[in-house]
Amino acid sequence: MTTTARRGRPRDEGTDARILAAAYELLLERGYERYSMDEVAQRAGVAKTTLYRRWPTKDHLVVAVVAKIQDDVPVTDTGDIRHDLVTYLAAIVAGLDRMRRVGRPATPDDRSAGLVAEITAAAARHPDVGEAVRALFARRNALPLALLESARARGDLRPDARPDLLFDALAGAVYYRLLITGEPFDGDYAAELVDQVLAGARAL
Amino acid sequence: MTTTARRGRPRDEGTDARILAAAYELLLERGYERYSMDEVAQRAGVAKTTLYRRWPTKDHLVVAVVAKIQDDVPVTDTGDIRHDLVTYLAAIVAGLDRMRRVGRPATPDDRSAGLVAEITAAAARHPDVGEAVRALFARRNALPLALLESARARGDLRPDARPDLLFDALAGAVYYRLLITGEPFDGDYAAELVDQVLAGARAL
């Protein structure tokens, strides 16, 4: 029996999806500081206990929303490492740019990292949220790391290429710009970054 | 006349330095959430008005403390770009590791980004703090960018090397590890990272 009645509401496999969709909608409307667990439960049509059993705080729920957003970014190995890395990083740039604007009016010169910085701070403040964020990134980053491993295995990358360091450099550049320097992502940032890191800086 | 008496205290050129030293000490002892402007003024031996005239909130003051810490990291152009980048990044890694632990007990498996994440969030939340953080990094990053420019000018880096992207990749990798994945900086992380980015990933 996979369905049990709780407080008159059916518990079905779509409950998680409904909660995450409601949380994302409310985040978009209200922003991080002004969305509440009670409203999420109400909008998703679930009992508060159902919500809190899955995600004990709004920080945990935000991490789950981010995981969902990340899982919607496909990672495909076409055999062309440059193409695949550019596609992946461009999707990360677009996703982070949406996420940072969550709950705030769109103004052209806004350089705040918004929700991305709030999640970073929540992860630093609460050990269990930090654990959840790190587990999320370990799981997701395995995909681009596998792209790099596979390119090295077929001889497209140097034998001494280090996927872990290369991925830190590529993803790190994007997060650094967003969280620290606030520089906008002009033109074809993802492609230019990938080309620099693949080509290397040293004169031959 | 450069010295004026305010509430019986002399205003001298060491006032900023005393305030910043007191703020850093209190941050180390209490951490970000539990240090207060009043205590900083008391410990520095300055009137509250003196403190607030310079830095209107504790967030502004933290940014000034971070600027001071960063300015204590020397950036030297020895003519060996690998050496200079490794030295610089190793100092950044050490400085960030100290800063993230501010106000928290030292435990070996602590992977929180601590104060670094709090500053990131404060910059995202308050436009003027964000402006101050971005100005600080623009000023400081000009130094390693000049190292890269100079290495390109003397032919040690490729003519099409992009200092801005290379620096994003190098500094970004360090911040990404600290703020997002929480991976520790094992072994000789700075040297291995610089070698990967200088060598490039693509097979020749």
Side-chain angles (χ1 to χ4, degrees), chain B residues 17 43 55 60-61 64 73 84 105 177:
Chain B
R43 186 168 300 195
W55 295 288
H60 292 84
L61 182 55
V73 175
D84 294 346
R177 220 159 235 256

Side-chain angles (χ1 to χ4, degrees), chain A residues 4-73:
Chain A
T4 53
R6 284 187 66 85
R7 299 195 184 177
R9 295 183 193 283
R11 177 169 177 185
D12 58 53
E13 296 195 342
T15 303
D16 282 11
R18 279 213 313 284
I19 292 172
L20 292 176
Y24 185 51
E25 277 176 26
L26 278 165
L27 272 167
L28 285 176
E29 289 170 25
R30 307 275 165 85
Y32 177 78
E33 282 180 52
R34 293 188 307 280
Y35 97 102
S36 78
M37 292 289 272
D38 288 2
E39 281 176 305
V40 171
Q42 193 175 18
R43 186 167 300 195
V46 302
K48 288 185 205 176
T49 48
T50 305
L51 173 57
Y52 282 102
R53 205 181 311 121
R54 286 167 165 81
W55 294 289
T57 71
K58 63 188 248 186
D59 283 336
H60 292 84
L61 182 54
V62 162
V63 174
V65 171
V66 173
K68 173 88 176 59
I69 294 171
Q70 291 206 354
D71 287 340
D72 289 345
V73 175

Side-chain angles (χ1 to χ4, degrees), chain B residues 58-140:
Chain B
K58 63 188 250 184
D59 282 336
H60 292 84
L61 182 55
V62 162
V63 174
V65 171
V66 173
K68 172 89 177 60
I69 294 170
Q70 290 207 354
D71 287 340
D72 289 344
V73 175
V75 180
T76 312
D77 191 344
T78 68
D80 177 344
I81 187 65
R82 177 187 185 277
H83 172 273
D84 294 346
L85 288 175
V86 171
T87 304
Y88 179 73
L89 286 175
I92 298 291
V93 167
L96 285 174
D97 196 52
R98 270 196 307 276
M99 213 193 308
R100 79 181 182 90
R101 292 173 191 275
V102 151
R104 292 180 305 120
T107 55
D109 59 349
D110 170 20
R111 295 166 78 187
S112 168
L115 181 61
V116 183
E118 296 294 350
I119 294 170
T120 306
R125 228 172 270 151
H126 310 294
D128 58 341
V129 176
E131 208 49 59
V133 168
R134 289 190 289 272
L136 161 63
F137 278 88
R139 178 171 66 75
R140 276 299 294 181

Side-chain angles (χ1 to χ4, degrees), chain A residues 112 118 124-125 134 141 155-158 160 162 168 173 176-177 181 189 192 196-198 200-203, chain B residues 112 118 124-125 134 141 155-158 160 162 165 168 176-177 181 189 192 196-198 200-203:
Chain A
S112 168
E118 295 294 351
R125 228 171 270 151
R134 289 190 290 271
N141 290 351
D156 291 342
L157 299 186
R158 302 157 57 98
D160 60 355
R162 287 269 305 272
D168 280 355
Y176 183 68
R177 221 159 234 256
T181 65
Y189 185 82
E192 291 171 2
Q196 285 284 312
V197 172
L198 288 184
R202 203 189 292 282
Chain B
S112 168
E118 296 294 350
R125 228 172 270 151
R134 289 190 289 272
N141 289 352
D156 291 343
L157 298 186
R158 301 159 57 101
D160 60 354
R162 286 270 305 272
L165 295 170
D168 280 356
Y176 184 69
R177 220 159 235 256
T181 65
Y189 185 80
E192 292 171 2
Q196 284 284 312
V197 171
L198 289 183
R202 202 188 291 283

Side-chain angles (χ1 to χ4, degrees), chain A residues 135-204:
Chain A
L136 162 62
F137 277 88
R139 178 170 65 75
R140 275 299 293 182
N141 290 351
L143 304 175
L145 284 169
L147 289 181
L148 288 159
E149 291 285 6
S150 146
R152 184 175 62 173
R154 68 176 177 263
D156 291 342
L157 299 186
R158 302 157 57 98
D160 60 355
R162 287 269 305 272
D164 57 337
L165 295 171
L166 294 169
F167 184 71
D168 280 355
L170 293 169
V174 170
Y175 278 85
Y176 183 68
R177 221 159 234 256
L178 184 82
L179 288 167
I180 308 292
T181 65
E183 293 290 322
F185 295 99
D186 291 328
D188 217 352
Y189 185 82
E192 291 171 2
L193 175 68
V194 168
D195 284 338
Q196 285 284 312
V197 172
L198 288 184
R202 203 189 292 282
L204 299 178

